[in-house]
C-alpha cells in the first residue's frame, strides 16, 4: 500500500508538472494586417494560419485583426494594436506602416509587457527604437533600388512610380528606392501620388496613369506599389496605347500579373514573399514567448527578389501550392 501510495503521488506530481508546462506554452498572439480578401494579404493570412497550427499545438492562439479599408491606415492600425492590448495578448505582429500614427500604440503594447515583432512594413532600426524583438519582411528601400536598377538595365530611362497610399512609410520607401535606383544609373524618375481612396479603385488608377503617359511621351517605365494596382496599371498603359513602349513593373505578385509576365505584357515583379513573412514572424514570436528563444539574425529578410520571364515557371509552381 505504501509503494502504491508513492506511485500515485508520483503520478499526480507528474500530471501537475505537465499542466504547469502546458500553461507556459500558451502564447496568445494577435496579427495586424490588411484585408484577407486581397491576394497579397491572403498569402499573409495563409502564413498566419499555417503558423497557428504550431502555436495551437502548444496551447496558444493566433487572432488575425484586419483593416477594413486603407483610407486611415495609420490610426486604424494603431487602434487594432490597442484592441490587441485590451484582449490581453502575449504577443503582437504588426506592420509599421505609418510610424507617427502607430509608434505610440506599439510602445504601449511593449510597456504592457507584450512582445512585438514588426512585419512587412518597418525595418530593424525602427524595431530597435521601439523595443520590438525583430523585423521580418523586405527592406522596402532596397527593393525599390533593385526595381529602379532593373528598369535602367533593361532600357528604361524615365520611370513613374505610382503610389496610391502616399504617406505610408513602406510605400514611400519603395518609390524613393525606385527613383534613386534609376537616377543613380543615369535615368530620371518621379513619384505619382494618388489619393488613398484610389487604392483598389481600378478605374481611378488606370485613368491617372493613362493621363500621365499621354501628357509626357518620354515616360518609358511604370511601376505600381502593389500587385492589385498593377492590374489597373496594365489597363492604363493599354488605354494610352503604350503597350510595348512602356516597361511595366510592380511590387508584389498576383495571378493576373504573373500571367502578364508569362505572356510578355508585364516585364517584372518584385517579390517580398508575404507567406514567409507571417509564417516566420508568428512562429518566431511564439517561440520567444514560450521558450525564450531569440534569433541572432536581425532583420529577417524575405526579399527582394525579381520575378520575370527567366524564373516565371518556378514561381508559378509555388502559386499552385498557395504560397507565392
Amino acid at each position: 500500500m505504501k509503494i502504491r501510495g508513492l506511485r500515485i503521488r508520483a503520478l499526480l506530481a507528474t500530471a501537475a508538472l505537465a499542466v504547469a508546462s502546458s500553461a507556459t506554452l500558451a502564447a496568445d498572439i494577435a496579427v495586424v494586417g490588411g484585408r484577407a480578401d486581397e491576394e497579397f494579404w491572403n498569402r499573409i493570412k495563409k502564413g498566419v494560419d499555417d503558423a497557428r497550427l504550431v502555436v495551437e499545438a502548444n496551447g496558444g492562439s493566433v487572432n488575425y485583426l484586419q483593416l477594413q479599408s486603407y483610407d486611415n491606415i495609420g490610426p486604424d492600425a494603431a487602434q487594432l494594436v490597442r484592441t490587441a492590448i485590451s484582449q490581453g495578448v502575449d504577443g503582437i505582429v504588426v506592420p509599421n506602416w505609418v510610424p507617427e500614427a502607430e509608434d505610440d500604440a506599439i510602445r504601449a503594447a511593449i510597456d504592457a509587457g507584450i512582445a512585438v515583432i514588426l512585419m512587412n512594413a518597418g525595418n530593424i532600426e525602427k524595431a530597435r527604437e521601439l523595443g520590438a524583438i525583430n523585423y521580418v519582411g523586405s527592406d522596402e528601400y532596397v527593393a525599390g533600388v533593385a526595381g529602379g536598377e532593373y528598369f535602367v538595365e533593361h532600357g528604361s530611362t524615365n520611370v513613374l512610380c505610382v503610389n496610391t497610399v502616399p504617406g505610408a512609410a513602406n510605400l514611400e520607401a519603395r518609390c524613393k528606392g525606385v527613383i534613386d535606383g534609376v537616377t543613380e544609373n543615369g535615368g530620371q524618375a518621379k513619384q505619382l501620388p494618388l489619393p488613398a481612396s484610389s487604392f483598389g479603385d481600378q478605374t481611378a488608377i488606370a485613368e491617372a496613369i493613362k493621363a500621365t503617359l499621354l501628357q509626357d511621351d518620354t515616360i518609358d517605365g511604370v511601376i505600381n506599389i502593389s500587385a492589385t494596382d498593377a492590374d489597373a496599371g496594365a489597363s492604363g498603359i493599354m488605354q494610352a496605347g503604350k503597350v510595348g513602349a512602356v516597361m511595366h513593373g510592380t511590387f508584389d505578385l498576383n495571378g493576373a500579373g504573373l500571367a502578364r509576365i508569362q505572356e510578355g505584357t508585364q516585364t517584372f515583379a518584385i517579390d517580398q514573399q508575404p507567406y514567409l513573412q507571417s509564417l516566420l514572424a508568428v512562429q518566431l514570436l511564439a517561440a520567444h514567448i514560450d521558450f525564450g528563444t531569440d534569433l541572432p539574425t536581425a532583420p529577417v529578410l524575405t526579399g527582394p527578389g525579381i520575378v520575370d520571364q527567366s524564373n516565371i515557371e518556378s514561381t508559378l509552381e509555388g502559386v499552385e501550392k498557395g504560397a507565392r
Side-chain angles (χ1 to χ4, degrees):
M1 293 294 293
K2 187 176 291 187
I3 294 175
R4 184 183 176 193
L6 289 172
R7 287 177 177 171
I8 290 173
R9 284 196 293 273
L11 288 171
L12 289 173
T14 301
L17 285 172
V19 169
S21 177
S22 64
T24 62
L25 303 180
D28 293 318
I29 292 172
V31 180
V32 175
R35 291 170 46 181
D37 60 352
E38 296 172 358
E39 198 158 357
F40 178 86
W41 289 100
N42 183 262
R43 297 292 183 263
I44 292 277
K45 182 64 163 52
K46 176 173 172 52
V48 171
D49 290 342
D50 286 354
R52 179 183 286 114
L53 300 175
V54 175
V55 177
E56 290 181 346
N58 284 324
S61 66
V62 181
N63 186 23
Y64 187 72
L65 306 177
Q66 64 178 354
L67 296 172
Q68 299 306 308
S69 76
Y70 302 98
D71 296 342
N72 200 34
I73 185 171
D76 286 352
Q79 183 55 49
L80 290 177
V81 171
R82 295 190 186 281
T83 296
I85 295 171
S86 70
Q87 292 172 344
V89 299
D90 303 300
I92 299 174
V93 175
V94 58
N96 192 228
W97 285 302
V98 186
E100 57 267 29
E102 296 179 62
D103 282 3
D104 284 348
I106 294 171
R107 286 193 181 98
I110 292 168
D111 290 344
I114 298 171
V116 173
I117 282 184
L118 301 186
M119 176 200 73
N120 176 256
N123 53 49
I124 190 60
E125 288 76 20
K126 174 57 74 172
R128 287 169 176 156
E129 173 193 329
L130 294 173
I133 65 174
N134 213 326
Y135 168 72
V136 180
S138 181
D139 185 310
E140 304 291 11
Y141 176 76
V142 171
V145 170
E149 291 174 345
Y150 187 97
F151 272 116
V152 175
E153 289 169 2
H154 291 79
S156 287
T157 58
N158 189 356
V159 177
L160 187 70
C161 183
V162 184
N163 187 353
T164 51
V165 193
N170 59 324
L171 304 183
E172 293 287 350
R174 287 181 172 188
C175 278
K176 185 179 189 311
V178 169
I179 292 167
D180 289 352
V182 172
T183 57
E184 290 173 6
N185 287 278
Q188 57 181 315
K190 64 181 180 181
Q191 180 179 160
L192 175 64
L194 300 181
S197 58
S198 298
F199 187 88
D201 186 336
Q202 300 284 290
T203 301
I205 298 168
E207 286 295 327
I209 292 172
K210 172 188 173 183
T212 305
L213 292 178
L214 292 176
Q215 289 168 5
D216 187 348
D217 195 50
T218 68
I219 296 173
D220 56 6
V222 170
I223 186 165
N224 294 102
I225 52 86
S226 77
T228 304
D229 283 5
D231 296 340
S235 177
I237 293 169
M238 181 183 67
Q239 292 175 34
K242 299 287 188 176
V243 176
V246 171
M247 188 181 300
H248 187 203
T250 186
F251 291 86
D252 306 326
L253 312 180
N254 68 2
L258 292 172
R260 290 192 296 270
I261 292 173
Q262 193 173 34
E263 68 187 19
T265 56
Q266 180 174 316
T267 311
F268 71 98
I270 303 172
D271 186 19
Q272 60 173 302
Q273 302 189 100
Y275 170 78
L276 279 184
Q277 288 180 13
S278 54
L279 180 79
L280 294 174
V282 172
Q283 290 190 341
L284 289 173
L285 187 56
H288 176 80
I289 294 165
D290 289 343
F291 314 122
T293 59
D294 281 307
L295 279 186
T297 302
V300 178
L301 295 181
T302 61
I306 299 291
V307 176
D308 58 14
Q309 287 198 333
S310 70
N311 58 359
I312 185 64
E313 298 303 327
S314 60
T315 301
L316 288 171
E317 290 178 6
V319 171
E320 290 178 5
K321 298 173 182 176
R324 294 295 296 274

